Every structure is written in C-alpha cells, then in structure tokens.
Amino acid sequence: MSEETTHGPVVAGIVTAVVGFSSSFVVCLAGLTAVGATGRQAASGLLTLLVTQALGMLWLALRYRMPLTLAWSTPGAALLATTTGVTGGWSAAVGAFVATGVLIVLTALVPKVGDLVAAIPHSLARAMLAGVLLPLCLAPVTALVDAPAAVAPVVLTWLVLLRLAPRWAVPGALLVALVAVVATARIETADLVPHLAWTTPSWSLSALVGIALPLYVVTMASQNVPGVAVMSGFGYRVPWRASLAVTGIGTIAGAPTGGHAINLAAISAALAAGPTAGPDRSRRWIASVSASVTYLVLAVASTALAALVVAAADGVMQAAAGLALLGTLGAALGEALADPREREAAAATLVVAASGVSVLGIGAAFWALLVGLLLRTFLRVGRLAEPTVSAPGTSSTSSRT
C-alpha cells in the first residue's frame, strides 16, 4: 500500500501520535536515565511529556484552527543519553530543564534571543547533533554481535518494513523488541500504574552550561525551526511566538516531574498537516485534536512501557533506539557536510560531540560547538588573509570577478 494513502483527519491524528510516540520513547527514557533519573522518575518524565505536549497541542489547534503538532525533543533526549554524569545529580538536571524552558519563553518574548540561535552556523548545529547521535546509532551493530538471537529479529523487522512501509519500520521493530521483553521479563504490578514523581530543581553552573544550553540549541535548531519549515511547505504560517510560549511554559511546568523539553514537531508534523490528513486543508486541524487525545491515551500506558524498557535485556531496546535515530543521523550528516567550506569545522564538531568527553563537569556537546565555532573562525580569518595569486602576465589589481 502506498505511503501517500489519504486518511480522514481523525485517523491521521491517531497515526501521528502512535508513530511519534513509538519511534522515540525509548530514546526519551534513555536520556532521562543517563542524567540521573531512577526508573520511577524516568517513567514520570515520559508521562509528563505526553500530557504537556497533548495539552499544548490541543490549545494551539483550537485557538488557531491549524494542524499544529507538538512533540518531546528527541534530539534533546539523544543529547541527554550521551551525557556522562551531572554535577548535582538528577535535581540539577531538572533545574537545567527549567532553564531550557525559560530560554524558549525568552525566545518568544525577545526576538533577539532567537537571533543568537540563528547566528550559530547551521552546519555546526547539525554536526553537533550528528556527533550526539553517532554513539547511539552504533548500538544495533554492537548489540547484534553481543546478543544476535535477541537483536536479530528486531533488526530484520526494521529492514523488511523499511522496504515495504517505511513509516512503520521503527514502530514495528520496537513492537518486536517489546514482545521479546514481555516473554522473558518479570514485572511487578506496581510498576504498571501511572504516577508522577516530583523533584525539586537545583542549579549548578556545569548543568546549565552542559545541559540547558545545548538542549536549548538542539531543540530550537533541530525541532522548532524545521517544524516551521514543514508547516510552511503545506501552506500554513505557524504562530511562532505563541507556539514557543506554549512549549516553553509546558517545559517549565513539566520539568519538576521529569519532562526535559517539548517543542514543535518536525517529521511527524507532515502526517497531520499533509494530504494524508484529508483533501480539505481547513479541516486538518482536527488531526491535531485527534493526536492530542491519542497522546493522553498513550500516557495511561506509558508507565507500563517504561517498566518493559527497564526490564529488557541489555542491547535489545538500545538497538531499537539506534534504529529509530538512523534517519535523523543521516539527515544531520548530510546537512553538516554539504558545504565544502564548512567541512573541517563541522567534522571537528562532530568528533568532539561523539567523543563523550566531559571537561570541568561540562558535557561534550557544549565543547563540540565551541571547538567548531573557534575552528571555523580561525579558518575563515586565515583564508581571508591569504594574498591573491595572479596568473602570469596579469596584474593583481585587475584580477576581480
């Protein structure tokens, strides 16, 4: 069946939510766990993200009658997943999430804050993201070697569906992984009940610089800006300031119970705003309402799914997460290295981000961006200072193009 089949807006919204959730919730849990969350706190974070993005999306859709969709920051979760230790622990990470939300709100209120993000070269922002994703995308390879019997069915499912129905490749692989976990793991009934776990935020300089700032940059550059572009491609003008205000406030409100960041959806936005949501553009906003309701339904099951992820054998869920991020990695690499003049700086940014190093308690993503900016500036200054070499028999003052 063709991927372009037209559905009604209600069905399109359900598909949007199911695909968006299943394609990345494992990455979300991995990110929260990496910065110090317990299994209970990570499950609370997943539940919080689903509720805050659903409520924000519902308000925007009803207010603007537009198929606006929200999502958690998957690149941000991937960034967290590569973070090795946070000074101040989980409460400092929560404080960094609050700071990220404040920065997003400031971007809505003060346009010049957004200009600072726009000033970061696109190639370096994408290279930083690619470096963050690379270690995670290696998981299917290493897991397949270490546990072939458990991981091979996941990889094969992804491969077959990628050829036949690309949209369902990641959800299908994840379903196979979850079935394998259900068949082998023992889970307490108490772990299946939805719950919220409050954490009072604290703040440390290293967490603010090493988590909040990169999380803000990657969320803006890899989610919010592309989300606007996707919507524009379908003829919709996104209410930029209102969308940022809603997602920033949602991020701040959700941080104490574990939510790291919500934002405009990028890839899944096309499912609700495109032709698959019906031929009548004026009714596609219903898809956002349908998606928000579906996210609330998924929130009820999120704690049980989080328990399954925790109970999974090493390698299985990591492999599913790596497969989910391969497409994003490919796109980031392509954009980071597209301009030959930017390749050295972009490559350096990628390598530092992928290294996972932590200096002065600050993670690799910040240092990657700093190294990339410094190298880019150094190379550009050097190239501008190079003397013009004239061809034999011509004057250097006349060799202008």
Short mmCIF file of all heavy atoms in Angstrom, two decimals, residues 282-343:
data_model
loop_
_atom_site.label_atom_id
_atom_site.label_comp_id
_atom_site.label_asym_id
_atom_site.label_seq_id
_atom_site.Cartn_x
_atom_site.Cartn_y
_atom_site.Cartn_z
N SER A 282 -8.82 23.06 5.43
CA SER A 282 -9.48 23.79 6.51
C SER A 282 -9.91 22.87 7.66
O SER A 282 -10.24 23.35 8.74
CB SER A 282 -10.69 24.54 5.97
OG SER A 282 -11.70 23.64 5.53
N ARG A 283 -9.90 21.55 7.41
CA ARG A 283 -10.32 20.61 8.45
C ARG A 283 -9.17 19.79 9.02
O ARG A 283 -9.37 18.95 9.90
CB ARG A 283 -11.39 19.66 7.90
CG ARG A 283 -12.65 20.35 7.44
CD ARG A 283 -13.73 19.37 7.04
NE ARG A 283 -14.32 18.68 8.21
CZ ARG A 283 -14.10 17.41 8.52
NH1 ARG A 283 -13.31 16.67 7.76
NH2 ARG A 283 -14.67 16.87 9.58
N ARG A 284 -7.96 20.04 8.56
CA ARG A 284 -6.83 19.24 9.02
C ARG A 284 -6.47 19.52 10.48
O ARG A 284 -5.77 18.72 11.11
CB ARG A 284 -5.62 19.45 8.12
CG ARG A 284 -5.80 18.85 6.73
CD ARG A 284 -4.59 19.10 5.84
NE ARG A 284 -4.87 18.70 4.46
CZ ARG A 284 -4.07 18.98 3.43
NH1 ARG A 284 -2.93 19.65 3.62
NH2 ARG A 284 -4.39 18.59 2.21
N TRP A 285 -6.91 20.64 11.02
CA TRP A 285 -6.63 20.94 12.42
C TRP A 285 -7.23 19.88 13.35
O TRP A 285 -6.75 19.66 14.47
CB TRP A 285 -7.16 22.32 12.81
CG TRP A 285 -8.66 22.45 12.73
CD1 TRP A 285 -9.40 22.79 11.65
CD2 TRP A 285 -9.58 22.22 13.79
NE1 TRP A 285 -10.74 22.79 11.95
CE2 TRP A 285 -10.88 22.46 13.28
CE3 TRP A 285 -9.45 21.86 15.14
CZ2 TRP A 285 -12.04 22.32 14.04
CZ3 TRP A 285 -10.60 21.73 15.91
CH2 TRP A 285 -11.87 21.95 15.37
N ILE A 286 -8.25 19.19 12.85
CA ILE A 286 -8.87 18.11 13.63
C ILE A 286 -7.85 17.01 13.90
O ILE A 286 -7.91 16.34 14.94
CB ILE A 286 -10.10 17.56 12.89
CG1 ILE A 286 -11.16 18.67 12.74
CG2 ILE A 286 -10.70 16.36 13.62
CD1 ILE A 286 -12.34 18.27 11.87
N ALA A 287 -6.90 16.84 13.00
CA ALA A 287 -5.85 15.82 13.21
C ALA A 287 -5.03 16.13 14.46
O ALA A 287 -4.62 15.21 15.19
CB ALA A 287 -4.94 15.75 11.98
N SER A 288 -4.79 17.40 14.73
CA SER A 288 -4.04 17.77 15.94
C SER A 288 -4.85 17.46 17.19
O SER A 288 -4.30 17.02 18.21
CB SER A 288 -3.68 19.26 15.90
OG SER A 288 -2.72 19.51 14.89
N VAL A 289 -6.16 17.69 17.12
CA VAL A 289 -7.02 17.35 18.26
C VAL A 289 -7.01 15.84 18.49
O VAL A 289 -6.87 15.36 19.62
CB VAL A 289 -8.45 17.85 18.02
CG1 VAL A 289 -9.38 17.39 19.15
CG2 VAL A 289 -8.47 19.37 17.88
N SER A 290 -7.14 15.10 17.41
CA SER A 290 -7.12 13.64 17.49
C SER A 290 -5.78 13.14 18.04
O SER A 290 -5.73 12.23 18.87
CB SER A 290 -7.37 13.04 16.10
OG SER A 290 -7.19 11.65 16.10
N ALA A 291 -4.69 13.76 17.60
CA ALA A 291 -3.36 13.37 18.08
C ALA A 291 -3.21 13.66 19.57
O ALA A 291 -2.64 12.85 20.32
CB ALA A 291 -2.28 14.10 17.29
N SER A 292 -3.72 14.80 20.01
CA SER A 292 -3.60 15.15 21.42
C SER A 292 -4.37 14.17 22.30
O SER A 292 -3.88 13.74 23.36
CB SER A 292 -4.09 16.58 21.66
OG SER A 292 -5.48 16.69 21.44
N VAL A 293 -5.56 13.78 21.87
CA VAL A 293 -6.34 12.79 22.62
C VAL A 293 -5.60 11.45 22.65
O VAL A 293 -5.54 10.77 23.69
CB VAL A 293 -7.74 12.63 22.02
CG1 VAL A 293 -8.50 11.49 22.69
CG2 VAL A 293 -8.53 13.94 22.14
N THR A 294 -5.02 11.07 21.53
CA THR A 294 -4.27 9.81 21.46
C THR A 294 -3.08 9.84 22.40
O THR A 294 -2.76 8.84 23.07
CB THR A 294 -3.81 9.54 20.02
OG1 THR A 294 -4.94 9.55 19.15
CG2 THR A 294 -3.12 8.19 19.92
N TYR A 295 -2.38 10.98 22.46
CA TYR A 295 -1.24 11.10 23.38
C TYR A 295 -1.69 10.93 24.84
O TYR A 295 -0.98 10.33 25.66
CB TYR A 295 -0.54 12.45 23.20
CG TYR A 295 0.49 12.46 22.10
CD1 TYR A 295 0.45 13.43 21.10
CD2 TYR A 295 1.51 11.52 22.06
CE1 TYR A 295 1.40 13.45 20.08
CE2 TYR A 295 2.46 11.53 21.05
CZ TYR A 295 2.40 12.50 20.06
OH TYR A 295 3.34 12.51 19.06
N LEU A 296 -2.87 11.46 25.17
CA LEU A 296 -3.37 11.30 26.53
C LEU A 296 -3.69 9.83 26.84
O LEU A 296 -3.47 9.35 27.95
CB LEU A 296 -4.61 12.17 26.74
CG LEU A 296 -4.35 13.69 26.74
CD1 LEU A 296 -5.67 14.45 26.81
CD2 LEU A 296 -3.44 14.09 27.90
N VAL A 297 -4.20 9.12 25.83
CA VAL A 297 -4.45 7.68 26.00
C VAL A 297 -3.13 6.93 26.18
O VAL A 297 -3.00 6.07 27.05
CB VAL A 297 -5.23 7.12 24.79
CG1 VAL A 297 -5.34 5.60 24.88
CG2 VAL A 297 -6.62 7.75 24.72
N LEU A 298 -2.14 7.29 25.37
CA LEU A 298 -0.82 6.65 25.49
C LEU A 298 -0.18 6.96 26.84
O LEU A 298 0.59 6.14 27.36
CB LEU A 298 0.09 7.13 24.36
CG LEU A 298 -0.26 6.62 22.95
CD1 LEU A 298 0.55 7.36 21.90
CD2 LEU A 298 0.01 5.12 22.86
N ALA A 299 -0.49 8.12 27.41
CA ALA A 299 0.07 8.48 28.71
C ALA A 299 -0.32 7.47 29.78
O ALA A 299 0.46 7.16 30.69
CB ALA A 299 -0.39 9.89 29.11
N VAL A 300 -1.54 6.94 29.67
CA VAL A 300 -2.01 5.95 30.65
C VAL A 300 -1.15 4.69 30.59
O VAL A 300 -0.88 4.05 31.62
CB VAL A 300 -3.49 5.60 30.39
CG1 VAL A 300 -3.96 4.52 31.35
CG2 VAL A 300 -4.36 6.84 30.51
N ALA A 301 -0.68 4.35 29.38
CA ALA A 301 0.12 3.13 29.21
C ALA A 301 1.62 3.39 29.31
O ALA A 301 2.41 2.45 29.27
CB ALA A 301 -0.18 2.50 27.85
N SER A 302 2.02 4.64 29.45
CA SER A 302 3.45 4.98 29.38
C SER A 302 4.27 4.37 30.50
O SER A 302 5.40 3.93 30.29
CB SER A 302 3.62 6.50 29.38
OG SER A 302 3.16 7.07 30.60
N THR A 303 3.71 4.29 31.69
CA THR A 303 4.46 3.73 32.82
C THR A 303 4.73 2.24 32.61
O THR A 303 5.83 1.75 32.92
CB THR A 303 3.69 3.96 34.13
OG1 THR A 303 3.47 5.36 34.31
CG2 THR A 303 4.47 3.42 35.32
N ALA A 304 3.74 1.54 32.08
CA ALA A 304 3.94 0.12 31.80
C ALA A 304 5.01 -0.09 30.74
O ALA A 304 5.86 -0.98 30.84
CB ALA A 304 2.63 -0.52 31.34
N LEU A 305 4.99 0.75 29.70
CA LEU A 305 6.01 0.64 28.66
C LEU A 305 7.39 0.98 29.20
O LEU A 305 8.39 0.35 28.82
CB LEU A 305 5.65 1.57 27.50
CG LEU A 305 4.43 1.15 26.69
CD1 LEU A 305 4.01 2.26 25.72
CD2 LEU A 305 4.70 -0.13 25.92
N ALA A 306 7.46 1.96 30.09
CA ALA A 306 8.74 2.30 30.70
C ALA A 306 9.27 1.13 31.52
O ALA A 306 10.47 0.84 31.52
CB ALA A 306 8.59 3.54 31.58
N ALA A 307 8.36 0.43 32.22
CA ALA A 307 8.77 -0.73 33.00
C ALA A 307 9.33 -1.83 32.11
O ALA A 307 10.29 -2.52 32.46
CB ALA A 307 7.59 -1.25 33.82
N LEU A 308 8.73 -2.01 30.92
CA LEU A 308 9.23 -3.00 29.98
C LEU A 308 10.63 -2.65 29.51
O LEU A 308 11.50 -3.52 29.38
CB LEU A 308 8.29 -3.11 28.79
CG LEU A 308 6.94 -3.80 29.03
CD1 LEU A 308 6.07 -3.72 27.77
CD2 LEU A 308 7.15 -5.26 29.42
N VAL A 309 10.85 -1.38 29.24
CA VAL A 309 12.18 -0.94 28.78
C VAL A 309 13.22 -1.23 29.85
O VAL A 309 14.32 -1.71 29.57
CB VAL A 309 12.16 0.56 28.42
CG1 VAL A 309 13.56 1.06 28.15
CG2 VAL A 309 11.27 0.78 27.21
N VAL A 310 12.89 -0.93 31.11
CA VAL A 310 13.82 -1.17 32.21
C VAL A 310 14.10 -2.65 32.36
O VAL A 310 15.23 -3.07 32.66
CB VAL A 310 13.25 -0.59 33.52
CG1 VAL A 310 14.10 -1.01 34.72
CG2 VAL A 310 13.18 0.93 33.44
N ALA A 311 13.08 -3.50 32.14
CA ALA A 311 13.22 -4.94 32.33
C ALA A 311 13.90 -5.63 31.16
O ALA A 311 14.27 -6.80 31.25
CB ALA A 311 11.85 -5.56 32.56
N ALA A 312 14.09 -4.94 30.06
CA ALA A 312 14.65 -5.57 28.86
C ALA A 312 16.10 -5.97 29.06
O ALA A 312 16.84 -5.35 29.81
CB ALA A 312 14.55 -4.61 27.67
N ALA A 313 16.48 -7.04 28.38
CA ALA A 313 17.88 -7.47 28.41
C ALA A 313 18.75 -6.41 27.75
O ALA A 313 18.30 -5.69 26.85
CB ALA A 313 18.02 -8.80 27.68
N ASP A 314 19.99 -6.32 28.21
CA ASP A 314 20.90 -5.33 27.64
C ASP A 314 21.03 -5.50 26.14
O ASP A 314 21.22 -6.61 25.64
CB ASP A 314 22.29 -5.47 28.28
CG ASP A 314 22.32 -4.97 29.71
OD1 ASP A 314 21.39 -4.24 30.08
OD2 ASP A 314 23.26 -5.31 30.45
N GLY A 315 20.89 -4.39 25.43
CA GLY A 315 21.11 -4.40 23.99
C GLY A 315 19.85 -4.36 23.15
O GLY A 315 19.85 -3.79 22.06
N VAL A 316 18.75 -4.94 23.63
CA VAL A 316 17.55 -5.05 22.81
C VAL A 316 16.91 -3.68 22.56
O VAL A 316 16.71 -3.26 21.42
CB VAL A 316 16.52 -6.01 23.46
CG1 VAL A 316 15.24 -6.04 22.63
CG2 VAL A 316 17.10 -7.40 23.57
N MET A 317 16.61 -2.96 23.64
CA MET A 317 15.96 -1.67 23.48
C MET A 317 16.94 -0.62 22.94
O MET A 317 16.55 0.30 22.22
CB MET A 317 15.36 -1.19 24.81
CG MET A 317 14.35 -2.15 25.41
SD MET A 317 13.07 -2.74 24.27
CE MET A 317 12.21 -1.22 23.90
N GLN A 318 18.22 -0.78 23.29
CA GLN A 318 19.23 0.14 22.75
C GLN A 318 19.32 0.00 21.24
O GLN A 318 19.50 1.00 20.52
CB GLN A 318 20.59 -0.13 23.39
CG GLN A 318 20.67 0.24 24.86
CD GLN A 318 20.24 -0.88 25.79
OE1 GLN A 318 19.50 -1.79 25.39
NE2 GLN A 318 20.71 -0.83 27.03
N ALA A 319 19.20 -1.23 20.76
CA ALA A 319 19.24 -1.46 19.32
C ALA A 319 18.03 -0.81 18.65
O ALA A 319 18.15 -0.18 17.59
CB ALA A 319 19.26 -2.96 19.03
N ALA A 320 16.85 -0.94 19.27
CA ALA A 320 15.65 -0.32 18.71
C ALA A 320 15.79 1.20 18.69
O ALA A 320 15.39 1.86 17.71
CB ALA A 320 14.43 -0.73 19.54
N ALA A 321 16.38 1.76 19.74
CA ALA A 321 16.58 3.22 19.79
C ALA A 321 17.56 3.66 18.71
O ALA A 321 17.36 4.69 18.05
CB ALA A 321 17.10 3.62 21.16
N GLY A 322 18.62 2.89 18.51
CA GLY A 322 19.60 3.24 17.48
C GLY A 322 19.00 3.22 16.10
O GLY A 322 19.27 4.10 15.27
N LEU A 323 18.16 2.23 15.82
CA LEU A 323 17.49 2.16 14.52
C LEU A 323 16.55 3.35 14.33
O LEU A 323 16.43 3.89 13.23
CB LEU A 323 16.70 0.85 14.42
CG LEU A 323 17.54 -0.44 14.39
CD1 LEU A 323 16.63 -1.66 14.45
CD2 LEU A 323 18.40 -0.50 13.13
N ALA A 324 15.90 3.78 15.43
CA ALA A 324 14.98 4.91 15.34
C ALA A 324 15.69 6.20 14.97
O ALA A 324 15.11 7.09 14.35
CB ALA A 324 14.25 5.08 16.68
N LEU A 325 16.97 6.30 15.32
CA LEU A 325 17.72 7.54 15.11
C LEU A 325 18.56 7.55 13.84
O LEU A 325 19.17 8.57 13.52
CB LEU A 325 18.62 7.79 16.32
CG LEU A 325 17.89 8.09 17.63
CD1 LEU A 325 18.87 8.06 18.81
CD2 LEU A 325 17.18 9.43 17.57
N LEU A 326 18.60 6.43 13.11
CA LEU A 326 19.45 6.37 11.91
C LEU A 326 19.06 7.41 10.87
O LEU A 326 19.92 8.06 10.26
CB LEU A 326 19.37 4.97 11.29
CG LEU A 326 20.36 3.93 11.83
CD1 LEU A 326 20.13 2.59 11.14
CD2 LEU A 326 21.80 4.39 11.64
N GLY A 327 17.76 7.58 10.64
CA GLY A 327 17.32 8.56 9.65
C GLY A 327 17.72 9.97 10.04
O GLY A 327 18.17 10.77 9.21
N THR A 328 17.57 10.28 11.33
CA THR A 328 17.96 11.61 11.81
C THR A 328 19.45 11.81 11.69
O THR A 328 19.93 12.90 11.32
CB THR A 328 17.53 11.78 13.28
OG1 THR A 328 16.13 11.51 13.39
CG2 THR A 328 17.81 13.19 13.77
N LEU A 329 20.23 10.76 11.99
CA LEU A 329 21.68 10.85 11.84
C LEU A 329 22.07 11.11 10.39
O LEU A 329 22.92 11.98 10.11
CB LEU A 329 22.34 9.55 12.32
CG LEU A 329 23.85 9.44 12.07
CD1 LEU A 329 24.62 10.51 12.83
CD2 LEU A 329 24.35 8.04 12.46
N GLY A 330 21.45 10.38 9.47
CA GLY A 330 21.77 10.57 8.06
C GLY A 330 21.48 11.98 7.58
O GLY A 330 22.29 12.60 6.88
N ALA A 331 20.33 12.51 7.98
CA ALA A 331 19.97 13.88 7.59
C ALA A 331 20.94 14.90 8.18
O ALA A 331 21.36 15.84 7.51
CB ALA A 331 18.54 14.19 8.02
N ALA A 332 21.30 14.69 9.45
CA ALA A 332 22.22 15.63 10.10
C ALA A 332 23.60 15.60 9.45
O ALA A 332 24.22 16.65 9.23
CB ALA A 332 22.33 15.29 11.59
N LEU A 333 24.09 14.42 9.12
CA LEU A 333 25.39 14.31 8.45
C LEU A 333 25.38 14.99 7.09
O LEU A 333 26.32 15.70 6.73
CB LEU A 333 25.78 12.84 8.30
CG LEU A 333 26.27 12.12 9.55
CD1 LEU A 333 26.41 10.63 9.28
CD2 LEU A 333 27.60 12.71 10.01
N GLY A 334 24.30 14.74 6.34
CA GLY A 334 24.20 15.34 5.01
C GLY A 334 24.23 16.85 5.05
O GLY A 334 24.93 17.50 4.26
N GLU A 335 23.50 17.43 6.01
CA GLU A 335 23.45 18.89 6.11
C GLU A 335 24.73 19.46 6.70
O GLU A 335 25.17 20.55 6.33
CB GLU A 335 22.24 19.30 6.95
CG GLU A 335 20.91 18.94 6.29
CD GLU A 335 19.73 19.23 7.19
OE1 GLU A 335 19.83 20.16 8.02
OE2 GLU A 335 18.71 18.52 7.09
N ALA A 336 25.35 18.73 7.62
CA ALA A 336 26.56 19.23 8.26
C ALA A 336 27.73 19.31 7.29
O ALA A 336 28.55 20.24 7.35
CB ALA A 336 26.93 18.34 9.44
N LEU A 337 27.82 18.36 6.38
CA LEU A 337 28.98 18.26 5.49
C LEU A 337 28.69 18.70 4.06
O LEU A 337 29.53 18.52 3.18
CB LEU A 337 29.48 16.81 5.49
CG LEU A 337 29.84 16.23 6.86
CD1 LEU A 337 30.22 14.76 6.75
CD2 LEU A 337 30.96 17.02 7.52
N ALA A 338 27.53 19.29 3.84
CA ALA A 338 27.15 19.65 2.47
C ALA A 338 28.04 20.74 1.87
O ALA A 338 28.38 20.69 0.69
CB ALA A 338 25.68 20.10 2.45
N ASP A 339 28.43 21.71 2.66
CA ASP A 339 29.24 22.84 2.16
C ASP A 339 30.72 22.52 2.36
O ASP A 339 31.17 22.41 3.51
CB ASP A 339 28.86 24.11 2.92
CG ASP A 339 29.53 25.36 2.33
OD1 ASP A 339 30.47 25.21 1.53
OD2 ASP A 339 29.10 26.48 2.68
N PRO A 340 31.50 22.39 1.29
CA PRO A 340 32.93 22.06 1.43
C PRO A 340 33.69 23.06 2.30
O PRO A 340 34.64 22.69 2.98
CB PRO A 340 33.44 22.10 -0.03
CG PRO A 340 32.22 21.86 -0.86
CD PRO A 340 31.09 22.51 -0.12
N ARG A 341 33.27 24.31 2.31
CA ARG A 341 33.96 25.33 3.09
C ARG A 341 33.75 25.15 4.60
O ARG A 341 34.51 25.70 5.40
CB ARG A 341 33.48 26.73 2.67
CG ARG A 341 33.78 27.09 1.23
CD ARG A 341 33.07 28.37 0.85
NE ARG A 341 31.61 28.23 0.97
CZ ARG A 341 30.74 29.20 0.74
NH1 ARG A 341 31.17 30.41 0.40
NH2 ARG A 341 29.45 28.99 0.85
N GLU A 342 32.73 24.40 4.97
CA GLU A 342 32.41 24.22 6.38
C GLU A 342 32.83 22.86 6.92
O GLU A 342 32.65 22.58 8.10
CB GLU A 342 30.89 24.38 6.59
CG GLU A 342 30.31 25.70 6.10
CD GLU A 342 30.58 26.83 7.08
OE1 GLU A 342 31.03 26.56 8.20
OE2 GLU A 342 30.34 27.99 6.71
N ARG A 343 33.39 22.01 6.06
CA ARG A 343 33.56 20.61 6.44
C ARG A 343 34.55 20.40 7.58
O ARG A 343 34.32 19.56 8.46
CB ARG A 343 33.98 19.79 5.22
CG ARG A 343 32.80 19.47 4.31
CD ARG A 343 33.20 18.66 3.11
NE ARG A 343 32.06 18.51 2.21
CZ ARG A 343 32.15 18.09 0.95
NH1 ARG A 343 33.35 17.79 0.44
NH2 ARG A 343 31.07 17.99 0.21
#
